[in-house]
């Protein structure tokens, strides 16, 4: 059974979303995450700017 | 020469004092009264609580920094305010009690022209039987609210890990210690760090981990939840948070008021009025917050604490405190200048100001027990408010009391929350979230109350790196190293 399917077996978790292998891999993929790091920083700087 | 006294050397007070000292120069005096000798970057206490950082990594001595900034520093706690002076003098003053070694217990009055109350929260462990006494943590649970607490939490965590390695199953219960807690985010971050550390130690299968919280749904965070952009969708934070828990096989118990704590056992009441018990081997529960208990006296010595402070001990500011039904709550109820309505030379910044009401929907169990989060005032709003207040006071000093006051409403301000789940540079992840604005404004953003372009969430290493960068950046800034004013709050 896949990791996410195992977790879905539990009643409390059955109505939520659990990431599959690809989504999990992207979270620790250094190249993709470096790009997201830049995007997140820009977005956060805009939020900080709008807040001052 | 005018004197500004800042009470509290935490996120808000340190920001106010350091900016005011820079803007006012040596022509005026800035004084800080704070009981701690060290500054603490509180968000990183989470990593101290799992043994990934030491107390030294998250603290530094305040005295040399204040000396460099030309700030007069009293290691003491404020006990009362006399905003009209007393029978012998018209000059307002604050009474302090030293906490510094060698002077502890000595009292003194410090006169002021302007005062900023940035005393943060009293960690009100005493509100829940068994959780502690007054602001002192009890013996049954741990906390990560101070660096010292976090060191103790890690010691207990390591003991639990050793037991699991020896074959004994352990139950971890993390969350809120009362029905009226705020700061769910800290417990949220801690539970994922615990899960990560247990996996790393190879004992995850020996641990049962459970979340207990006063939120009516997972992902409320004291902000009534939020709708955020995730992977191209706009989703409720409920789905986002539940996904994080389900992925890690962490069960949750929500809408829970912790009514009593004993050795290894917690008693709770739920929103439906039912009661129950949870056993635990290790438990980290965030206490409810209250004001630090400052008193206020009029010139004739009469007690005016109720005029200056709200019943929860936080200082009244320019908010609309008229009791209103939830449906009538408005963004405009929230304060803009943080000036006390009775005394114009008095301000409150950070957690110390009294919010007009909660952000989350108020809820009660059928037994009448209120069970809903109180509003969070996290680091970014605390810093921004601290800076706006510094600006206002400096303008009042240099341009006169009629100077225009600077504004920083939490209904027009965002917050960035990065909840790490493990600390490794390549194996840690974090849920990075931004919310804009913190207090929803349904007039401006009729759909979700917030701007969904700037309210977003994402899980991954990138958020984790941001958390690391923020740790070093904010400590660098708080030490007033070169270029510190360029780093935003
Ligand atoms: C474990 C944890 C993790 C967190 N993580 C995050 C995060 O990731 N991001 C985020 O934005 N926020 C986070 N927060 C919240 C953040 O720490 C607070 O919002 C912030 O510290 C509030 O700033 P403050 O100045 O109002 O209060 P504090 O920083 O608590 O400062 C209050 C100061 O007043 C002093 N004081 C107390 N009593 C007196 C007195 N009588 N007289 C004078 N001084 C007094 C205290 O010693 C302290 O120095 C976290 C909080 C905790 C507990």
């Amino acid at each position: 059974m896949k990791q996410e399917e195992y977790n879905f077996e539990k009643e409390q978790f059955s109505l939520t979303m659990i990431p599959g292998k690809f989504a999990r891999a992207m979270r620790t993929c250094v190249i993709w995450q470096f790009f997201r790091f830049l995007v997140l920083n820009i977005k956060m700087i805009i939020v900080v700017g709008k807040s001052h | 020469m005018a004197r500004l006294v800042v009470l509290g050397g935490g996120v808000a007070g340190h920001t106010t004092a350091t900016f005011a000292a820079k803007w006012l120069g040596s022509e005026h005096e800035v004084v800080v009264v704070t009981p701690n000798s060290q500054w603490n970057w509180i968000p990183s206490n989470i990593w101290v609580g799992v043994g990934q950082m030491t107390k030294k990594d998250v603290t530094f001595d305040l005295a040399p920094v204040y000396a460099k900034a030309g700030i007069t520093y009293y290691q003491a706690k404020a006990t009362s305010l006399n905003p009209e002076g007393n029978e012998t003098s018209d000059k307002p003053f604050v009474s302090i009690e030293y906490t510094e070694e060698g002077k502890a217990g000595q009292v003194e009055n410090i006169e002021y022209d302007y005062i900023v109350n940035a005393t943060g929260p009293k960690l009100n462990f005493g509100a829940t039987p068994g959780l502690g006494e007054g602001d002192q943590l009890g013996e049954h649970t741990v906390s990560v609210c101070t660096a010292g607490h976090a060191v103790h939490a890690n010691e207990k965590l390591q003991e639990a890990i050793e037991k699991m390695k020896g074959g004994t199953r352990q139950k971890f219960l993390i969350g809120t210690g009362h029905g009226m807690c705020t700061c769910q985010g800290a417990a949220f971050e801690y539970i994922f760090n615990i899960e990560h550390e247990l996996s790393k130690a190879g004992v995850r299968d020996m641990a049962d981990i459970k979340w207990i919280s006063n939120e009516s749904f997972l992902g409320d965070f004291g902000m009534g939840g939020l709708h955020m952009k995730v992977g191209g969708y706009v989703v409720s934070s409920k789905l986002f948070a539940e996904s994080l828990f389900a992925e890690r096989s962490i069960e949750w118990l929500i809408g829970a008021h912790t009514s009593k704590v004993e050795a290894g056992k917690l008693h709770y009441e739920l929103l439906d009025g039912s009661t129950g018990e949870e056993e635990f081997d290790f438990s980290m529960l965030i206490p409810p917050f209250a004001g630090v208990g400052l008193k206020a006296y009029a010139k004739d010595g009469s007690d005016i604490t109720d005029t200056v402070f709200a019943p929860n001990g936080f200082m009244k500011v320019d908010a609309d405190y008229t009791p209103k039904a939830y449906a009538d709550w408005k963004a405009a109820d929230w304060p803009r200048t943080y000036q006390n309505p009775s005394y114009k030379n008095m301000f409150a910044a950070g957690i110390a100001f009294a919010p007009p009401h909660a952000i989350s929907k108020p809820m009660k169990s059928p037994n009448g027990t209120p069970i809903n989060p109180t509003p969070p005032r996290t680091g970014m709003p605390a810093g921004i408010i601290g800076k706006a207040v510094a600006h206002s006071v400096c303008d009042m000093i240099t341009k006169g009391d009629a100077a225009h006051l600077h504004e920083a409403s939490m209904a027009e301000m965002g917050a960035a929350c990065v909840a790490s789940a493990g600390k490794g540079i390549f194996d840690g992840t974090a849920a990075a979230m931004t919310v804009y604005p913190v207090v929803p404004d349904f007039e401006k953003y009729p759909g979700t109350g917030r701007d969904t372009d700037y309210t977003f969430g994402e899980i991954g290493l990138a958020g984790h790196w941001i958390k690391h960068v923020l740790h070093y950046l904010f400590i660098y800034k708080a030490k007033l190293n070169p270029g510190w004013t360029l780093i935003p709050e």
Side-chain angles (χ1 to χ4, degrees):
Chain A
M1 204 187 296
K2 290 178 188 159
Q3 191 178 327
E4 57 273 21
E5 291 172 5
Y6 167 76
N7 277 7
F8 273 130
E9 275 195 328
K10 297 190 185 165
E11 200 189 331
Q12 193 173 40
F13 304 156
S14 66
L15 292 180
T16 188
M17 51 178 194
I18 300 179
K21 204 174 171 184
F22 179 71
R24 287 200 306 270
M26 291 310 274
R27 288 177 181 177
T28 47
C29 166
V30 176
I31 299 167
W32 174 243
Q33 287 299 319
F34 181 71
F35 170 68
R36 295 309 302 166
F37 177 74
L38 298 178
V39 173
L40 283 175
N41 270 303
I42 292 167
K43 283 185 133 186
M44 283 187 176
I45 287 166
I46 295 173
V47 171
V48 170
K50 281 162 78 81
S51 305
H52 274 72
Chain B
M1 181 192 249
R3 180 186 285 160
L4 162 65
V5 175
V6 179
L7 307 179
V11 174
H14 193 72
T15 308
T16 305
T18 50
F19 274 103
K22 178 178 163 53
W23 292 330
L24 291 171
S26 53
E27 268 174 61
H28 303 282
E29 188 186 8
V30 177
V31 173
V32 171
V33 175
T34 192
N36 41 306
S37 63
Q38 291 189 313
W39 195 82
N40 175 206
W41 176 237
I42 298 173
S44 295
N45 288 354
I46 300 290
W47 286 334
V48 178
V50 292
Q52 290 300 313
M53 277 195 177
T54 63
K55 187 175 172 185
K56 207 164 162 268
D57 293 330
V58 300
T59 54
F60 63 81
D61 287 339
L62 279 172
V65 175
Y66 286 155
K68 176 165 77 175
I71 293 170
T72 313
Y73 164 48
Y74 292 86
Q75 195 192 330
K77 62 176 182 192
T79 51
S80 63
L81 302 169
N82 276 61
E84 302 161 6
N86 59 14
E87 278 164 350
T88 55
S89 162
D90 289 339
K91 192 87 184 160
F93 65 89
V94 53
S95 302
I96 65 164
E97 184 185 317
Y98 283 91
T99 52
E100 187 185 338
E101 232 181 273
K103 271 181 141 181
Q106 288 178 30
V107 293
E108 194 174 321
N109 293 337
I110 304 176
E111 293 184 345
Y112 64 81
D113 298 292
Y114 296 89
I115 193 157
V116 177
N117 173 16
T119 46
K122 167 185 170 187
L123 303 173
N124 198 10
F125 293 103
T128 304
L131 194 61
E133 288 292 327
D135 61 359
Q136 297 301 307
L137 172 67
E139 56 184 329
H140 307 311
T141 61
V142 300
S143 153
V144 284
C145 289
T146 69
H149 285 171
V151 170
H152 168 246
N154 178 49
E155 285 163 10
K156 294 285 172 197
L157 174 65
Q158 299 311 322
E159 281 173 24
I161 290 176
E162 284 313 309
K163 281 186 192 157
M164 286 185 282
K165 284 184 174 162
T168 313
R169 256 194 115 67
Q170 296 284 287
K171 163 89 176 270
F172 292 78
L173 189 61
I174 318 281
T176 55
H178 191 272
M180 299 288 284
C181 281
T182 181
C183 215
Q184 288 76 15
F188 184 85
E189 196 173 350
Y190 193 55
I191 199 169
F192 293 126
N193 271 274
I194 292 255
E195 199 273 340
H196 183 84
E197 290 306 315
L198 298 186
S199 302
K200 246 172 59 186
V203 291
R204 177 64 184 92
D205 56 340
M206 293 295 288
D208 300 305
I209 312 180
K210 192 161 188 169
W211 171 254
I212 180 165
S213 135
N214 57 345
E215 300 157 289
S216 66
F217 60 91
L218 214 56
D220 176 287
F221 296 127
M223 296 187 287
L226 46 135
H227 287 84
M228 49 167 131
K229 264 203 184 138
V230 185
Y233 287 78
V234 176
V235 298
S236 160
S237 50
K238 177 176 187 286
L239 209 59
F240 186 76
E242 285 183 353
S243 173
L244 277 163
F245 279 74
E247 184 191 348
R248 289 162 179 78
S249 223
I250 300 174
E251 290 178 17
W252 59 84
L253 185 64
I254 44 168
H257 161 64
T258 301
S259 52
K260 190 175 157 191
V261 182
E262 295 171 44
K265 195 190 277 181
L266 174 149
H267 301 255
Y268 63 82
E269 178 184 344
L270 297 182
L271 271 169
D272 65 8
S274 62
T275 56
E277 295 171 1
E278 277 292 330
E279 296 199 339
F280 62 81
D281 298 294
F282 175 100
S283 178
M284 197 295 290
L285 299 173
I286 298 279
F289 290 176
V292 297
L294 294 179
K295 295 274 188 196
Y297 299 104
K299 195 168 173 56
D300 61 5
S302 58
D303 192 327
I304 53 165
T305 306
D306 291 354
T307 312
V308 177
F309 295 96
N312 54 14
F314 295 121
M315 186 177 264
K316 290 183 191 167
V317 291
D318 60 323
D320 181 354
Y321 294 109
T322 324
K324 291 178 188 173
Y326 175 67
D328 299 326
W329 288 0
K330 295 228 159 19
D333 299 341
W334 286 75
R336 305 186 70 82
T337 66
Y338 304 89
Q339 188 179 43
N340 180 265
S342 310
Y343 299 99
K344 303 294 176 201
N345 59 348
M346 191 187 273
F347 293 79
I351 292 177
F353 83 82
H357 42 66
I359 305 175
S360 304
K361 195 171 181 178
M363 298 203 183
K364 271 190 180 143
S365 76
N367 313 318
T369 310
I371 308 178
N372 60 262
T374 44
R377 277 144 289 161
T378 55
M380 185 170 148
I384 293 174
I385 294 168
K387 189 172 177 183
V389 166
H391 237 132
S392 295
V393 173
C394 291
D395 282 357
M396 287 170 88
I397 291 175
T398 54
K399 299 178 187 158
D401 282 351
H404 175 73
L405 299 182
H406 292 256
E407 299 182 352
S409 166
M410 279 176 60
E412 290 165 11
M413 184 192 298
C417 317
V418 187
S420 79
K423 190 178 159 284
I425 290 288
F426 295 111
D427 68 348
T429 56
M433 289 176 266
T434 62
V435 51
Y436 185 86
V438 178
V439 174
D441 185 342
F442 287 97
E443 284 167 8
K444 206 164 170 188
Y445 309 104
T448 66
R450 299 197 173 94
D451 184 338
T452 46
D453 283 336
Y454 296 104
T455 302
F456 60 90
E458 183 163 323
I459 300 162
L461 266 180
H464 179 65
W465 294 336
I466 292 175
K467 181 99 189 166
H468 265 273
V469 171
L470 293 181
H471 168 88
Y472 293 107
L473 211 60
F474 284 122
I475 291 182
Y476 180 90
K477 178 183 164 115
K479 284 183 172 170
L480 310 185
N481 284 322
W484 67 274
T485 53
L486 302 173
I487 300 168
E489 284 65 49

